[in-house]
Amino acid sequence: MLGRLAASGTLRTSSSSFSALLRGLRPRGRGISDVASAEEFQRLTAAGGPPTLAFYTAPWCGPCQEVAPHIDDISGRLEGRHLRILRIDVDAMHNLAREQGIKAVPQFEVHREGHVVERLAGCGPEAVAEAAARHAADYAEMLKKKEER
């Protein structure tokens, strides 16, 4: 159940330094955005914004319903300036799901600068939370470096 497909490498920070990075990422989230069109998806995953965690789900999917409260929790802790979370119903958005190569649900993708940089399928909520936190922390660090210049 904890299989993972990842385009990025492994996490190279210790848990204490990782936790320290996350302390600055605690603004309350705006909530998960339910994607209603392919155009909206393209706009929300385009270059220029924060990393985006896309959650592909379906109302009939038991594992999707089990992981959904964990995604809500991730949203409450991390979503905001450093991370955006989208929910895509594969039944309502079947063309988009097909274009993105989604073959099973639940599935997650992290988009950055208009590209998929990480995919997670068949994994537990801990792996999704770790990926979301890592990408949010990386983006926060990038913004901090830009501000220091």
Side-chain angles (χ1 to χ4, degrees), residues 95-113:
N95 287 336
L96 175 64
R98 187 178 64 243
E99 289 169 10
Q100 293 298 311
I102 304 304
K103 298 193 185 311
V105 291
Q107 186 163 327
F108 301 87
E109 294 177 336
V110 178
H111 293 255
R112 182 92 187 261
E113 297 296 324

Side-chain angles (χ1 to χ4, degrees), residues 82-100:
H82 304 111
L83 182 72
R84 179 182 297 140
I85 300 178
L86 308 179
R87 181 174 28 234
I88 299 98
D89 180 335
V90 298
D91 288 341
M93 302 295 301
H94 57 276
N95 287 336
L96 175 64
R98 187 178 64 243
E99 289 169 10
Q100 293 298 311

Side-chain angles (χ1 to χ4, degrees), residues 14-149:
S14 69
S15 60
S16 61
S17 64
F18 187 66
S19 296
L21 277 173
L22 291 180
R23 278 188 216 113
L25 301 176
R26 297 282 181 196
R28 277 289 169 198
R30 298 175 304 232
I32 298 171
S33 299
D34 289 305
V35 175
S37 69
E39 294 77 22
E40 180 182 23
F41 179 82
Q42 294 303 324
R43 181 178 53 79
L44 292 171
T45 58
T52 303
L53 176 67
F55 170 31
Y56 295 90
T57 185
W60 47 263
C61 171
C64 298
Q65 305 316 310
E66 289 174 16
V67 77
H70 299 284
I71 304 308
D72 290 338
D73 180 58
I74 292 167
S75 173
R77 288 184 294 116
L78 296 175
E79 189 176 28
R81 182 175 181 215
H82 304 111
L83 182 72
R84 179 182 297 140
I85 300 178
L86 308 179
R87 181 174 28 234
I88 299 98
D89 180 335
V90 298
D91 288 341
M93 302 295 301
H94 57 276
N95 287 336
L96 175 64
R98 187 178 64 243
E99 289 169 10
Q100 293 298 311
I102 304 304
K103 298 193 185 311
V105 291
Q107 186 163 327
F108 301 87
E109 294 177 336
V110 178
H111 293 255
R112 182 92 187 261
E113 297 296 324
H115 302 284
V116 175
V117 295
E118 186 167 355
R119 288 191 169 106
L120 298 109
C123 61
E126 301 84 11
V128 177
E130 184 274 332
R134 180 170 27 88
H135 287 281
D138 288 349
Y139 188 73
E141 186 69 22
M142 183 207 58
L143 290 178
K144 183 179 175 184
K145 287 179 182 177
K146 276 186 176 180
E147 290 171 2
E148 290 174 354
R149 288 187 205 164

